[in-house]
Amino acid sequence: WLAVGGWVFYNTQVLNAYPAQREAEAAQVAYETTYKQDWTGVPQPRAVTLEYGIDIYPEERDLRARGTSIWVNKSDAPIDTLFLNVSRQVDMSMEIPNGTLVREDAQTAVEFWALDPAMQPGDSMTVNWTADYVTEGFENQVRVTQVSPNGTFFNNGFITPSLGYDESREMQDRNERRKQGLPERPRMPELRRDCGDLCRDNYISDDADWVTFETVISTSPDQIAVAPGSLEEEWEEGGRRYFRYVLDHPSLPFASFISARYEVAREEWEGVDVEVYHHPAHTYNVEKMLRSIRRSLDYNREQFGPYMHDQARIIEFPRYATFAQAFPGTMPYSEAIGFIARIEDEEDIDFVFYVVAHEMAHQWWAHQVIGAEVEGATLMSETLSQYSALMTMEREYGQEQIHKFLKYEMDNYLSSRGAEALQEKPLMRVDASQGYVHYRKGAVVLYYLREMLGEDALNSALRDLVDEFGYAGPPYPTSHEMVDRIRAVTPDSLRYLITDLFEEITLYDNRVVGDPVMEELEDGRWRVTYDVQTAKIRADSVGVETQIPMDDYVDLAVLGRPEEGAERGEVLARERRRLTDGEHTIEFVVDELPWQVAVDPDYYLIDRVPDDNIARVREGG
């Protein structure tokens, strides 16, 4: 027993010592206090090409990677010192021509390299590095789930050094920062018309713009390895399986590498190879995923321009994580939220189809048009991807399912507002951390805007955004560019929407009040009378709400009896009226027996209490 105990201790505490949380926190504090002031904004080279040689050993959970990149000095000043962030999870070594390692900070995983001679503006250099993750013995707890016996999935940040001070390495938690004596961590830089140097970087990558990309990746002979780009070669050598991928179009330096024992569903759709890589037993949603890719290609290419890759891949990864993500042409998707989901009721929101449509939309919104690293950047990526996904779903399932989705999104937004720890931002100034704004509120806002302006008008503004900024280098666009284009196609009578939806935090308090009544007429039709109360509210960043004058278009409707299991019946009559704040009496005459009445029945307006928008009708005299 002593020998076994010693062996376990050696493996779990010596070979695989678990870093204490206080050590990780100390490293974050040291990184910020030591380097933030002196190195923020200091020019560094930017990558223009990336080449990887990656060998995955799934059975051993080992990884050996080699990387080559060309770095260019795109600034207007000489660069004589490189600030390199190296990975804490892999063993990394660098080869830098004319570079000398002058300082290595093991605690913060930072290296400083002196360049002699200095890189002049426009100069380039080719650098090489290795990044190895080799397991030794066994751990008390698996810490690196990215390398797995069947389902390896990591992105290039795992094996690639980065240049310049990186704010994502700072301590994020507000309470811990306070305990450590650190100042309040600022959010994204403020949105301005003239953002100057702030528009030099996009919000995904600080040390590169659009890069060319090539990968040779090997794995065990019974697995398939996937990287971004077209598969140019495949071969076996030395008992291993090799694949060479080349990116079809220069893209952001954001890539994933995956290896597993996959089955592959393949088809060709309008010149694009559509593929779903999945665990052999997880076939339930594969056809639905293929269909969502096809529908997404159809809608987004028709409305916003070409798809710039020769393939579109969904790739399953294990449920160590529960998300889907978009890389150029490849979209890893967790088994937990898509591949093992069963949507039995046809009336339910098809979230599997929706998530694929959202990630496909990122091939335009983020992977063609990417915002500057300032407030509002995610409006042009996440919100627009929400919009494209909704429009794709509408073509597939019709408006009724979209109305359910909007109700869900609005409820999520309203409940999340109360949990905001700092300040809620208007959609135009949304911070990247405010998912409840750019996802939830954004979906409601863009769909409503489509309803008010018309799909052709709104999409023409968005298409213009792609035409001007698709794959464009710095300065990167801000949300002003998007909102200005939408404003240009908005009639004067609807200009208030730009302020309400993008520039301010606007809520409504619309409700059906009293008891709606119906009366059968002599001709067999029905007169329906009901009262609605309307109010418009402006909220500030800390949640203080003030009622403001209202003169807005609001939908009013009478609904028939719902079918069994449905939330509401068929629309018997609908009218859009411009209402001021206060109480209004509404009257409709309909041909069929009415069952419900509604104000804003489709949840277009962000209503504080949407559940009181619909009420049952009673028979009156």
Side-chain angles (χ1 to χ4, degrees):
W1 285 106
L2 288 175
V4 170
W7 178 60
V8 170
F9 180 87
Y10 176 71
N11 275 272
T12 61
Q13 302 298 321
V14 178
L15 286 180
N16 296 287
Y18 194 83
Q21 182 178 351
R22 62 179 178 273
E23 294 177 6
E25 292 174 349
Q28 290 177 312
V29 172
Y31 185 83
E32 181 174 345
T33 56
T34 306
Y35 303 121
K36 184 179 182 74
Q37 182 174 350
D38 293 336
W39 284 94
T40 297
V42 173
Q44 293 286 284
R46 301 174 82 84
V48 296
T49 67
L50 287 168
E51 295 181 7
Y52 290 98
I54 299 171
D55 298 313
I56 300 170
Y57 300 89
E59 292 79 8
E60 295 83 12
R61 293 185 57 242
D62 290 347
L63 167 70
R64 298 186 182 277
R66 303 161 305 285
T68 298
S69 181
I70 297 177
W71 293 348
V72 175
N73 180 1
K74 295 186 177 183
S75 76
D76 56 5
I79 297 173
D80 59 10
T81 304
L82 301 179
F83 182 113
L84 279 178
N85 302 286
V86 296
S87 176
R88 295 189 178 96
Q89 295 181 295
V90 301
D91 182 17
M92 187 172 286
S93 64
M94 304 292 304
E95 294 180 7
I96 299 178
N98 303 319
T100 303
L101 178 62
V102 294
R103 183 182 173 193
E104 184 176 7
D105 186 339
Q107 181 186 24
T108 61
V110 171
E111 296 179 358
F112 292 90
W113 290 72
L115 300 180
D116 186 18
M119 287 185 75
Q120 299 300 315
D123 282 357
S124 63
M125 68 165 63
T126 300
V127 298
N128 299 284
W129 72 91
T130 62
D132 298 335
Y133 175 76
V134 179
T135 58
E136 295 184 280
F138 60 85
E139 302 167 284
N140 182 60
Q141 174 181 335
V142 176
R143 287 173 289 160
V144 177
T145 58
Q146 291 98 317
V147 185
S148 171
N150 184 27
T152 293
F153 165 44
F154 59 93
N155 65 38
N156 57 319
F158 185 64
I159 57 171
T160 308
S162 64
L163 288 155
Y165 184 81
D166 183 358
E167 291 187 349
S168 69
R169 290 195 170 200
E170 296 178 358
M171 181 176 287
Q172 308 293 313
D173 186 85
R174 295 179 69 207
N175 294 326
E176 290 301 323
R177 291 183 65 85
R178 193 176 298 114
K179 291 177 185 177
Q180 297 290 344
L182 296 173
E184 189 80 33
R185 192 170 184 271
R187 287 188 164 185
M188 296 185 79
E190 181 182 1
L191 173 67
R192 300 199 304 264
R193 281 280 178 187
D194 180 14
C195 60
D197 288 343
L198 291 176
C199 288
R200 178 187 62 187
D201 297 328
N202 63 72
Y203 93 94
I204 286 181
S205 173
D206 290 340
D207 62 356
D209 301 305
W210 309 98
V211 301
T212 59
F213 210 104
E214 182 173 340
T215 305
V216 174
I217 184 169
S218 73
T219 187
S220 298
D222 62 342
Q223 296 200 11
I224 297 174
V226 186
S230 294
L231 178 61
E232 299 292 331
E233 294 181 78
E234 180 182 347
W235 70 95
E236 291 192 15
E237 181 181 322
R240 293 180 58 75
R241 194 173 182 183
Y242 287 80
F243 306 80
R244 184 171 76 90
Y245 294 91
V246 178
L247 205 59
D248 304 309
H249 190 283
S251 299
L252 296 173
F254 189 47
S256 60
F257 307 101
I258 303 175
S259 175
R261 291 188 289 275
Y262 286 121
E263 283 189 3
V264 187
R266 290 188 172 94
E267 62 183 28
E268 188 272 339
W269 185 254
E270 303 293 336
V272 176
D273 294 326
V274 177
E275 303 169 344
V276 176
Y277 293 70
H278 63 95
H279 181 58
H282 295 169
T283 60
Y284 185 73
N285 289 314
V286 168
E287 174 51 40
K288 182 180 292 184
M289 292 175 170
L290 291 170
R291 188 171 75 251
S292 184
I293 294 175
R294 295 194 301 266
R295 300 295 182 264
S296 298
L297 285 169
D298 288 346
Y299 185 80
N300 289 288
R301 290 200 291 195
E302 171 191 308
Q303 299 294 324
F304 307 123
Y307 179 72
M308 303 304 291
H309 303 283
D310 292 336
Q311 72 297 126
R313 302 188 184 106
I314 298 291
I315 311 156
E316 182 179 11
F317 65 86
R319 50 185 144 165
Y320 294 124
T322 55
F323 61 82
Q325 199 168 21
F327 298 88
T330 59
M331 290 148 285
Y333 197 147
S334 172
E335 66 172 315
I337 62 169
F339 285 88
I340 61 174
R342 293 181 70 89
I343 302 172
E344 304 287 357
D345 191 340
E346 292 183 359
E347 299 299 321
D348 287 344
I349 297 170
D350 190 343
F351 69 88
V352 174
F353 186 99
Y354 152 72
V355 171
V356 173
H358 177 94
E359 300 308 326
M360 277 295 298
H362 275 308
Q363 303 301 322
W364 285 262
W365 311 120
H367 287 296
Q368 291 193 39
V369 176
I370 181 69
E373 194 176 12
V374 297
E375 294 173 327
T378 51
L379 171 64
M380 292 186 292
S381 55
E382 300 301 347
T383 302
L384 288 180
S385 292
Q386 287 285 80
Y387 171 70
S388 284
L390 285 175
M391 300 309 297
T392 302
M393 285 183 67
E394 182 181 84
R395 287 192 175 186
E396 185 72 7
Y397 293 107
Q399 278 197 325
E400 191 59 35
Q401 189 167 114
I402 302 302
H403 297 153
K404 292 180 182 179
F405 187 86
L406 294 180
K407 175 66 161 53
Y408 170 82
E409 295 288 71
M410 187 186 300
D411 287 346
N412 190 299
Y413 164 67
L414 292 170
S415 62
S416 298
R417 294 183 71 232
E420 174 59 65
L422 294 174
Q423 295 179 337
E424 180 182 352
K425 298 287 187 70
L427 186 56
M428 189 172 175
R429 296 180 176 271
V430 61
D431 188 85
S433 65
Q434 294 179 306
Y436 73 98
V437 177
H438 60 233
Y439 288 120
R440 312 308 176 195
K441 178 181 178 179
V444 177
V445 163
L446 264 293
Y447 193 84
Y448 174 49
L449 200 60
R450 189 290 305 257
E451 176 68 17
M452 298 300 288
L453 301 183
E455 186 175 354
D456 289 344
L458 178 58
N459 287 3
S460 69
L462 301 182
R463 174 63 183 259
D464 188 63
L465 196 67
V466 177
D467 290 343
E468 182 164 351
F469 294 104
Y471 293 109
Y476 291 99
T478 70
S479 56
H480 280 299
E481 301 290 349
M482 172 183 162
V483 174
D484 286 350
R485 283 163 173 76
I486 294 174
R487 183 182 284 109
V489 300
T490 302
D492 290 345
S493 61
L494 297 176
R495 286 290 176 92
Y496 72 90
L497 292 173
I498 303 300
T499 299
D500 289 347
L501 301 179
F502 294 107
E503 299 172 344
E504 302 285 352
I505 302 170
T506 306
L507 307 169
Y508 291 84
D509 190 3
N510 300 330
R511 64 185 69 186
V512 178
V513 295
D515 294 319
V517 296
M518 60 184 177
E519 174 188 3
E520 188 173 9
L521 303 177
E522 292 181 357
D523 61 2
R525 295 188 298 166
W526 295 84
R527 178 186 291 117
V528 183
T529 305
Y530 64 104
D531 294 328
V532 299
Q533 183 173 298
T534 55
K536 185 175 181 178
I537 297 156
R538 186 69 42 80
D540 65 16
S541 60
V542 294
V544 177
E545 298 180 351
T546 305
Q547 185 170 335
I548 62 173
M550 177 176 175
D551 185 16
D552 295 16
Y553 285 103
V554 181
D555 287 356
L556 303 157
V558 178
L559 310 173
R561 183 168 188 165
E563 296 182 2
E564 185 176 353
E567 294 183 3
R568 67 181 201 177
E570 180 183 352
V571 175
L572 303 180
R574 180 198 299 269
E575 186 176 336
R576 180 168 293 160
R577 300 185 189 176
R578 196 151 188 167
L579 300 179
T580 57
D581 49 290
E583 195 164 308
H584 312 271
T585 298
I586 310 300
E587 184 177 296
F588 283 100
V589 175
V590 296
D591 295 331
E592 300 178 37
L593 179 69
W595 190 260
Q596 297 168 314
V597 296
V599 55
D600 187 26
D602 299 324
Y603 309 109
Y604 290 144
L605 304 176
I606 298 177
D607 198 313
R608 292 195 301 181
V609 187
D611 291 337
D612 60 13
N613 287 24
I614 298 178
R616 179 78 164 81
V617 182
R618 67 176 179 83
E619 191 167 358

